[in-house]
């Protein structure tokens, strides 16, 4: 039942504020759970990518799996900060 978001180089590239607004939209639509899927060395399987509700990209470069996890965590933290009205480093 979770919204499925894959991290894929073919996904949409967003700024942190855009990503935070996307999370707010999903929240306001009643989506309670979010599954962020990071691909392995060969990326995301095409069948899983087709099932995904959204594909997000951190750019065309390839990132190590563990670093991508930290980047996802940072963006979720940053989105929560933006949505709560906290300071954002580019405001």
């Amino acid at each position: 039942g979770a919204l499925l978001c894959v991290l894929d180089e073919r996904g949409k590239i967003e700024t942190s504020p855009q990503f935070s607004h996307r999370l707010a939209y999903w929240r306001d639509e009643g989506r309670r759970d979010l599954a962020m899927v990071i691909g392995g060395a060969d990326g995301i399987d095409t069948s899983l990518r087709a099932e995904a509700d959204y594909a997000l990209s951190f750019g065309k470069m390839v990132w190590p799996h563990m670093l991508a996890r930290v980047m996802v965590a940072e963006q979720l933290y940053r989105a929560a900060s933006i949505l709560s009205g906290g300071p954002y480093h580019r405001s």
Side-chain angles (χ1 to χ4, degrees):
L3 187 138
L4 179 60
C5 179
V6 294
L7 269 78
D8 187 86
E9 65 183 8
R10 292 168 292 268
K12 183 161 170 89
I13 297 173
E14 298 183 325
T15 64
S16 295
Q18 288 171 329
F19 182 62
S20 70
H21 289 104
R22 181 167 308 284
L23 290 175
Y25 173 78
W26 289 334
R27 177 200 62 206
D28 296 345
E29 289 290 307
R31 303 302 295 260
R32 293 177 47 136
D33 298 312
L34 171 64
M36 302 283 291
V37 177
I38 301 168
D42 297 324
I44 303 286
D45 185 83
T46 55
S47 62
L48 180 59
R49 198 169 47 244
E51 272 184 58
D53 296 292
Y54 193 71
L56 180 67
S57 175
F58 285 151
K60 297 294 182 190
M61 293 182 175
V62 176
W63 298 98
H65 187 268
M66 294 301 284
L67 185 54
R69 289 174 65 178
V70 171
M71 293 166 64
V72 168
E74 166 62 22
Q75 288 308 307
L76 291 172
Y77 170 80
R78 192 174 296 265
S81 178
I82 291 168
L83 293 174
S84 70
Y88 175 62
H89 77 284
R90 295 201 177 186
S91 294

PDB file of all heavy atoms in Angstrom, residues 42-70:
ATOM      1  N   ASP A  42      23.179  -2.770 -11.191  1.00  0.00           N
ATOM      2  CA  ASP A  42      22.573  -2.752 -12.526  1.00  0.00           C
ATOM      3  C   ASP A  42      21.343  -1.860 -12.603  1.00  0.00           C
ATOM      4  O   ASP A  42      20.618  -1.886 -13.593  1.00  0.00           O
ATOM      5  CB  ASP A  42      22.201  -4.179 -12.946  1.00  0.00           C
ATOM      6  CG  ASP A  42      23.416  -5.069 -13.070  1.00  0.00           C
ATOM      7  OD1 ASP A  42      24.473  -4.561 -13.515  1.00  0.00           O
ATOM      8  OD2 ASP A  42      23.332  -6.250 -12.700  1.00  0.00           O
ATOM      9  N   GLY A  43      21.071  -1.092 -11.560  1.00  0.00           N
ATOM     10  CA  GLY A  43      19.924  -0.188 -11.563  1.00  0.00           C
ATOM     11  C   GLY A  43      18.635  -0.876 -11.147  1.00  0.00           C
ATOM     12  O   GLY A  43      18.641  -1.956 -10.571  1.00  0.00           O
ATOM     13  N   ILE A  44      17.536  -0.241 -11.463  1.00  0.00           N
ATOM     14  CA  ILE A  44      16.199  -0.747 -11.126  1.00  0.00           C
ATOM     15  C   ILE A  44      15.699  -1.623 -12.268  1.00  0.00           C
ATOM     16  O   ILE A  44      15.771  -1.237 -13.442  1.00  0.00           O
ATOM     17  CB  ILE A  44      15.213   0.441 -10.925  1.00  0.00           C
ATOM     18  CG1 ILE A  44      15.707   1.406  -9.839  1.00  0.00           C
ATOM     19  CG2 ILE A  44      13.811  -0.053 -10.635  1.00  0.00           C
ATOM     20  CD1 ILE A  44      15.572   0.927  -8.434  1.00  0.00           C
ATOM     21  N   ASP A  45      15.179  -2.783 -11.926  1.00  0.00           N
ATOM     22  CA  ASP A  45      14.602  -3.673 -12.927  1.00  0.00           C
ATOM     23  C   ASP A  45      13.460  -2.949 -13.642  1.00  0.00           C
ATOM     24  O   ASP A  45      12.692  -2.216 -13.025  1.00  0.00           O
ATOM     25  CB  ASP A  45      14.087  -4.951 -12.250  1.00  0.00           C
ATOM     26  CG  ASP A  45      13.580  -5.951 -13.250  1.00  0.00           C
ATOM     27  OD1 ASP A  45      14.400  -6.697 -13.802  1.00  0.00           O
ATOM     28  OD2 ASP A  45      12.351  -5.980 -13.479  1.00  0.00           O
ATOM     29  N   THR A  46      13.341  -3.174 -14.938  1.00  0.00           N
ATOM     30  CA  THR A  46      12.331  -2.468 -15.728  1.00  0.00           C
ATOM     31  C   THR A  46      10.908  -2.742 -15.239  1.00  0.00           C
ATOM     32  O   THR A  46      10.062  -1.850 -15.281  1.00  0.00           O
ATOM     33  CB  THR A  46      12.443  -2.820 -17.228  1.00  0.00           C
ATOM     34  OG1 THR A  46      12.377  -4.233 -17.377  1.00  0.00           O
ATOM     35  CG2 THR A  46      13.725  -2.290 -17.814  1.00  0.00           C
ATOM     36  N   SER A  47      10.639  -3.954 -14.755  1.00  0.00           N
ATOM     37  CA  SER A  47       9.279  -4.250 -14.279  1.00  0.00           C
ATOM     38  C   SER A  47       8.968  -3.480 -12.997  1.00  0.00           C
ATOM     39  O   SER A  47       7.848  -3.012 -12.811  1.00  0.00           O
ATOM     40  CB  SER A  47       9.096  -5.753 -14.065  1.00  0.00           C
ATOM     41  OG  SER A  47       9.979  -6.229 -13.060  1.00  0.00           O
ATOM     42  N   LEU A  48       9.954  -3.316 -12.116  1.00  0.00           N
ATOM     43  CA  LEU A  48       9.742  -2.536 -10.899  1.00  0.00           C
ATOM     44  C   LEU A  48       9.616  -1.060 -11.241  1.00  0.00           C
ATOM     45  O   LEU A  48       8.770  -0.358 -10.689  1.00  0.00           O
ATOM     46  CB  LEU A  48      10.880  -2.751  -9.909  1.00  0.00           C
ATOM     47  CG  LEU A  48      10.767  -1.991  -8.581  1.00  0.00           C
ATOM     48  CD1 LEU A  48       9.489  -2.377  -7.842  1.00  0.00           C
ATOM     49  CD2 LEU A  48      11.984  -2.256  -7.717  1.00  0.00           C
ATOM     50  N   ARG A  49      10.421  -0.586 -12.183  1.00  0.00           N
ATOM     51  CA  ARG A  49      10.327   0.813 -12.599  1.00  0.00           C
ATOM     52  C   ARG A  49       8.943   1.096 -13.186  1.00  0.00           C
ATOM     53  O   ARG A  49       8.363   2.156 -12.949  1.00  0.00           O
ATOM     54  CB  ARG A  49      11.435   1.119 -13.606  1.00  0.00           C
ATOM     55  CG  ARG A  49      11.692   2.584 -13.768  1.00  0.00           C
ATOM     56  CD  ARG A  49      12.944   2.934 -14.549  1.00  0.00           C
ATOM     57  NE  ARG A  49      13.117   2.202 -15.780  1.00  0.00           N
ATOM     58  CZ  ARG A  49      14.105   1.354 -16.030  1.00  0.00           C
ATOM     59  NH1 ARG A  49      15.031   1.129 -15.119  1.00  0.00           N
ATOM     60  NH2 ARG A  49      14.185   0.749 -17.180  1.00  0.00           N
ATOM     61  N   ALA A  50       8.387   0.143 -13.913  1.00  0.00           N
ATOM     62  CA  ALA A  50       7.054   0.313 -14.497  1.00  0.00           C
ATOM     63  C   ALA A  50       5.974   0.346 -13.421  1.00  0.00           C
ATOM     64  O   ALA A  50       4.951   1.021 -13.585  1.00  0.00           O
ATOM     65  CB  ALA A  50       6.770  -0.800 -15.496  1.00  0.00           C
ATOM     66  N   GLU A  51       6.177  -0.362 -12.325  1.00  0.00           N
ATOM     67  CA  GLU A  51       5.218  -0.386 -11.209  1.00  0.00           C
ATOM     68  C   GLU A  51       5.263   0.875 -10.358  1.00  0.00           C
ATOM     69  O   GLU A  51       4.310   1.190  -9.657  1.00  0.00           O
ATOM     70  CB  GLU A  51       5.545  -1.551 -10.270  1.00  0.00           C
ATOM     71  CG  GLU A  51       4.913  -2.852 -10.597  1.00  0.00           C
ATOM     72  CD  GLU A  51       5.244  -3.872  -9.514  1.00  0.00           C
ATOM     73  OE1 GLU A  51       4.921  -3.624  -8.341  1.00  0.00           O
ATOM     74  OE2 GLU A  51       5.830  -4.904  -9.864  1.00  0.00           O
ATOM     75  N   ALA A  52       6.383   1.585 -10.397  1.00  0.00           N
ATOM     76  CA  ALA A  52       6.604   2.712  -9.492  1.00  0.00           C
ATOM     77  C   ALA A  52       5.617   3.843  -9.733  1.00  0.00           C
ATOM     78  O   ALA A  52       5.208   4.117 -10.863  1.00  0.00           O
ATOM     79  CB  ALA A  52       8.032   3.232  -9.652  1.00  0.00           C
ATOM     80  N   ASP A  53       5.247   4.491  -8.636  1.00  0.00           N
ATOM     81  CA  ASP A  53       4.394   5.669  -8.719  1.00  0.00           C
ATOM     82  C   ASP A  53       5.192   6.885  -9.182  1.00  0.00           C
ATOM     83  O   ASP A  53       4.635   7.820  -9.760  1.00  0.00           O
ATOM     84  CB  ASP A  53       3.789   5.980  -7.342  1.00  0.00           C
ATOM     85  CG  ASP A  53       2.875   4.876  -6.860  1.00  0.00           C
ATOM     86  OD1 ASP A  53       1.809   4.687  -7.474  1.00  0.00           O
ATOM     87  OD2 ASP A  53       3.242   4.191  -5.880  1.00  0.00           O
ATOM     88  N   TYR A  54       6.488   6.877  -8.898  1.00  0.00           N
ATOM     89  CA  TYR A  54       7.323   8.022  -9.229  1.00  0.00           C
ATOM     90  C   TYR A  54       8.776   7.575  -9.347  1.00  0.00           C
ATOM     91  O   TYR A  54       9.205   6.663  -8.648  1.00  0.00           O
ATOM     92  CB  TYR A  54       7.204   9.096  -8.128  1.00  0.00           C
ATOM     93  CG  TYR A  54       7.773  10.421  -8.523  1.00  0.00           C
ATOM     94  CD1 TYR A  54       7.135  11.210  -9.472  1.00  0.00           C
ATOM     95  CD2 TYR A  54       8.954  10.884  -7.970  1.00  0.00           C
ATOM     96  CE1 TYR A  54       7.666  12.427  -9.851  1.00  0.00           C
ATOM     97  CE2 TYR A  54       9.485  12.104  -8.344  1.00  0.00           C
ATOM     98  CZ  TYR A  54       8.825  12.871  -9.284  1.00  0.00           C
ATOM     99  OH  TYR A  54       9.353  14.081  -9.660  1.00  0.00           O
ATOM    100  N   ALA A  55       9.512   8.220 -10.237  1.00  0.00           N
ATOM    101  CA  ALA A  55      10.942   7.965 -10.385  1.00  0.00           C
ATOM    102  C   ALA A  55      11.678   9.279 -10.141  1.00  0.00           C
ATOM    103  O   ALA A  55      11.397  10.292 -10.783  1.00  0.00           O
ATOM    104  CB  ALA A  55      11.261   7.423 -11.772  1.00  0.00           C
ATOM    105  N   LEU A  56      12.585   9.257  -9.203  1.00  0.00           N
ATOM    106  CA  LEU A  56      13.360  10.428  -8.810  1.00  0.00           C
ATOM    107  C   LEU A  56      14.817  10.185  -9.176  1.00  0.00           C
ATOM    108  O   LEU A  56      15.310   9.069  -9.066  1.00  0.00           O
ATOM    109  CB  LEU A  56      13.234  10.635  -7.296  1.00  0.00           C
ATOM    110  CG  LEU A  56      13.976  11.800  -6.675  1.00  0.00           C
ATOM    111  CD1 LEU A  56      13.393  13.128  -7.150  1.00  0.00           C
ATOM    112  CD2 LEU A  56      13.890  11.705  -5.149  1.00  0.00           C
ATOM    113  N   SER A  57      15.497  11.241  -9.613  1.00  0.00           N
ATOM    114  CA  SER A  57      16.903  11.124  -9.967  1.00  0.00           C
ATOM    115  C   SER A  57      17.729  12.121  -9.175  1.00  0.00           C
ATOM    116  O   SER A  57      17.312  13.263  -8.981  1.00  0.00           O
ATOM    117  CB  SER A  57      17.085  11.396 -11.466  1.00  0.00           C
ATOM    118  OG  SER A  57      18.470  11.408 -11.804  1.00  0.00           O
ATOM    119  N   PHE A  58      18.896  11.694  -8.732  1.00  0.00           N
ATOM    120  CA  PHE A  58      19.869  12.593  -8.121  1.00  0.00           C
ATOM    121  C   PHE A  58      20.891  13.025  -9.173  1.00  0.00           C
ATOM    122  O   PHE A  58      21.979  13.467  -8.852  1.00  0.00           O
ATOM    123  CB  PHE A  58      20.578  11.917  -6.948  1.00  0.00           C
ATOM    124  CG  PHE A  58      19.741  11.810  -5.709  1.00  0.00           C
ATOM    125  CD1 PHE A  58      19.946  10.767  -4.826  1.00  0.00           C
ATOM    126  CD2 PHE A  58      18.766  12.734  -5.396  1.00  0.00           C
ATOM    127  CE1 PHE A  58      19.197  10.656  -3.657  1.00  0.00           C
ATOM    128  CE2 PHE A  58      18.007  12.625  -4.249  1.00  0.00           C
ATOM    129  CZ  PHE A  58      18.224  11.594  -3.373  1.00  0.00           C
ATOM    130  N   GLY A  59      20.552  12.874 -10.442  1.00  0.00           N
ATOM    131  CA  GLY A  59      21.428  13.270 -11.531  1.00  0.00           C
ATOM    132  C   GLY A  59      21.846  12.073 -12.368  1.00  0.00           C
ATOM    133  O   GLY A  59      21.495  10.939 -12.073  1.00  0.00           O
ATOM    134  N   LYS A  60      22.585  12.345 -13.403  1.00  0.00           N
ATOM    135  CA  LYS A  60      23.001  11.292 -14.334  1.00  0.00           C
ATOM    136  C   LYS A  60      24.171  10.469 -13.823  1.00  0.00           C
ATOM    137  O   LYS A  60      24.496   9.426 -14.370  1.00  0.00           O
ATOM    138  CB  LYS A  60      23.369  11.908 -15.688  1.00  0.00           C
ATOM    139  CG  LYS A  60      22.203  12.595 -16.365  1.00  0.00           C
ATOM    140  CD  LYS A  60      21.148  11.598 -16.742  1.00  0.00           C
ATOM    141  CE  LYS A  60      19.987  12.273 -17.462  1.00  0.00           C
ATOM    142  NZ  LYS A  60      18.856  11.397 -17.631  1.00  0.00           N
ATOM    143  N   MET A  61      24.829  10.949 -12.764  1.00  0.00           N
ATOM    144  CA  MET A  61      25.947  10.189 -12.218  1.00  0.00           C
ATOM    145  C   MET A  61      25.447   8.985 -11.433  1.00  0.00           C
ATOM    146  O   MET A  61      24.331   8.986 -10.940  1.00  0.00           O
ATOM    147  CB  MET A  61      26.780  11.068 -11.292  1.00  0.00           C
ATOM    148  CG  MET A  61      27.492  12.175 -11.983  1.00  0.00           C
ATOM    149  SD  MET A  61      28.451  13.063 -10.757  1.00  0.00           S
ATOM    150  CE  MET A  61      29.317  14.192 -11.788  1.00  0.00           C
ATOM    151  N   VAL A  62      26.297   7.986 -11.332  1.00  0.00           N
ATOM    152  CA  VAL A  62      25.983   6.803 -10.534  1.00  0.00           C
ATOM    153  C   VAL A  62      26.562   7.009  -9.140  1.00  0.00           C
ATOM    154  O   VAL A  62      27.710   7.434  -8.992  1.00  0.00           O
ATOM    155  CB  VAL A  62      26.584   5.531 -11.192  1.00  0.00           C
ATOM    156  CG1 VAL A  62      26.345   4.315 -10.329  1.00  0.00           C
ATOM    157  CG2 VAL A  62      25.989   5.335 -12.577  1.00  0.00           C
ATOM    158  N   TRP A  63      25.759   6.715  -8.113  1.00  0.00           N
ATOM    159  CA  TRP A  63      26.179   6.887  -6.723  1.00  0.00           C
ATOM    160  C   TRP A  63      26.221   5.535  -6.034  1.00  0.00           C
ATOM    161  O   TRP A  63      25.353   4.695  -6.272  1.00  0.00           O
ATOM    162  CB  TRP A  63      25.187   7.800  -5.975  1.00  0.00           C
ATOM    163  CG  TRP A  63      25.131   9.165  -6.560  1.00  0.00           C
ATOM    164  CD1 TRP A  63      24.211   9.642  -7.443  1.00  0.00           C
ATOM    165  CD2 TRP A  63      26.038  10.242  -6.316  1.00  0.00           C
ATOM    166  NE1 TRP A  63      24.488  10.941  -7.761  1.00  0.00           N
ATOM    167  CE2 TRP A  63      25.604  11.341  -7.087  1.00  0.00           C
ATOM    168  CE3 TRP A  63      27.179  10.379  -5.535  1.00  0.00           C
ATOM    169  CZ2 TRP A  63      26.278  12.562  -7.083  1.00  0.00           C
ATOM    170  CZ3 TRP A  63      27.838  11.594  -5.542  1.00  0.00           C
ATOM    171  CH2 TRP A  63      27.391  12.665  -6.307  1.00  0.00           C
ATOM    172  N   PRO A  64      27.191   5.318  -5.164  1.00  0.00           N
ATOM    173  CA  PRO A  64      27.219   4.074  -4.397  1.00  0.00           C
ATOM    174  C   PRO A  64      25.945   3.948  -3.551  1.00  0.00           C
ATOM    175  O   PRO A  64      25.403   4.951  -3.072  1.00  0.00           O
ATOM    176  CB  PRO A  64      28.450   4.213  -3.496  1.00  0.00           C
ATOM    177  CG  PRO A  64      29.280   5.283  -4.119  1.00  0.00           C
ATOM    178  CD  PRO A  64      28.329   6.186  -4.836  1.00  0.00           C
ATOM    179  N   HIS A  65      25.485   2.727  -3.390  1.00  0.00           N
ATOM    180  CA  HIS A  65      24.236   2.454  -2.673  1.00  0.00           C
ATOM    181  C   HIS A  65      24.207   3.110  -1.293  1.00  0.00           C
ATOM    182  O   HIS A  65      23.228   3.745  -0.913  1.00  0.00           O
ATOM    183  CB  HIS A  65      24.052   0.936  -2.562  1.00  0.00           C
ATOM    184  CG  HIS A  65      22.729   0.543  -2.006  1.00  0.00           C
ATOM    185  ND1 HIS A  65      22.525   0.335  -0.670  1.00  0.00           N
ATOM    186  CD2 HIS A  65      21.542   0.326  -2.615  1.00  0.00           C
ATOM    187  CE1 HIS A  65      21.260   0.000  -0.474  1.00  0.00           C
ATOM    188  NE2 HIS A  65      20.650  -0.024  -1.636  1.00  0.00           N
ATOM    189  N   MET A  66      25.273   2.962  -0.535  1.00  0.00           N
ATOM    190  CA  MET A  66      25.284   3.524   0.824  1.00  0.00           C
ATOM    191  C   MET A  66      25.256   5.053   0.803  1.00  0.00           C
ATOM    192  O   MET A  66      24.636   5.670   1.661  1.00  0.00           O
ATOM    193  CB  MET A  66      26.503   3.021   1.611  1.00  0.00           C
ATOM    194  CG  MET A  66      26.451   1.520   1.876  1.00  0.00           C
ATOM    195  SD  MET A  66      24.992   1.004   2.808  1.00  0.00           S
ATOM    196  CE  MET A  66      25.475   1.541   4.432  1.00  0.00           C
ATOM    197  N   LEU A  67      25.894   5.659  -0.159  1.00  0.00           N
ATOM    198  CA  LEU A  67      25.855   7.116  -0.268  1.00  0.00           C
ATOM    199  C   LEU A  67      24.460   7.576  -0.690  1.00  0.00           C
ATOM    200  O   LEU A  67      23.957   8.586  -0.189  1.00  0.00           O
ATOM    201  CB  LEU A  67      26.913   7.599  -1.263  1.00  0.00           C
ATOM    202  CG  LEU A  67      27.076   9.109  -1.394  1.00  0.00           C
ATOM    203  CD1 LEU A  67      27.321   9.772  -0.044  1.00  0.00           C
ATOM    204  CD2 LEU A  67      28.223   9.424  -2.344  1.00  0.00           C
ATOM    205  N   ALA A  68      23.832   6.835  -1.584  1.00  0.00           N
ATOM    206  CA  ALA A  68      22.462   7.179  -2.000  1.00  0.00           C
ATOM    207  C   ALA A  68      21.507   7.125  -0.805  1.00  0.00           C
ATOM    208  O   ALA A  68      20.619   7.971  -0.683  1.00  0.00           O
ATOM    209  CB  ALA A  68      21.992   6.231  -3.108  1.00  0.00           C
ATOM    210  N   ARG A  69      21.714   6.185   0.105  1.00  0.00           N
ATOM    211  CA  ARG A  69      20.868   6.105   1.312  1.00  0.00           C
ATOM    212  C   ARG A  69      21.004   7.359   2.152  1.00  0.00           C
ATOM    213  O   ARG A  69      20.011   7.902   2.652  1.00  0.00           O
ATOM    214  CB  ARG A  69      21.242   4.878   2.139  1.00  0.00           C
ATOM    215  CG  ARG A  69      20.839   3.581   1.494  1.00  0.00           C
ATOM    216  CD  ARG A  69      21.338   2.381   2.252  1.00  0.00           C
ATOM    217  NE  ARG A  69      20.729   2.286   3.572  1.00  0.00           N
ATOM    218  CZ  ARG A  69      20.958   1.313   4.418  1.00  0.00           C
ATOM    219  NH1 ARG A  69      21.776   0.332   4.090  1.00  0.00           N
ATOM    220  NH2 ARG A  69      20.379   1.294   5.584  1.00  0.00           N
ATOM    221  N   VAL A  70      22.234   7.843   2.299  1.00  0.00           N
ATOM    222  CA  VAL A  70      22.465   9.060   3.068  1.00  0.00           C
ATOM    223  C   VAL A  70      21.831  10.258   2.360  1.00  0.00           C
ATOM    224  O   VAL A  70      21.231  11.124   3.004  1.00  0.00           O
ATOM    225  CB  VAL A  70      23.986   9.292   3.289  1.00  0.00           C
ATOM    226  CG1 VAL A  70      24.260  10.650   3.893  1.00  0.00           C
ATOM    227  CG2 VAL A  70      24.553   8.186   4.156  1.00  0.00           C
TER     228      VAL A  70
END
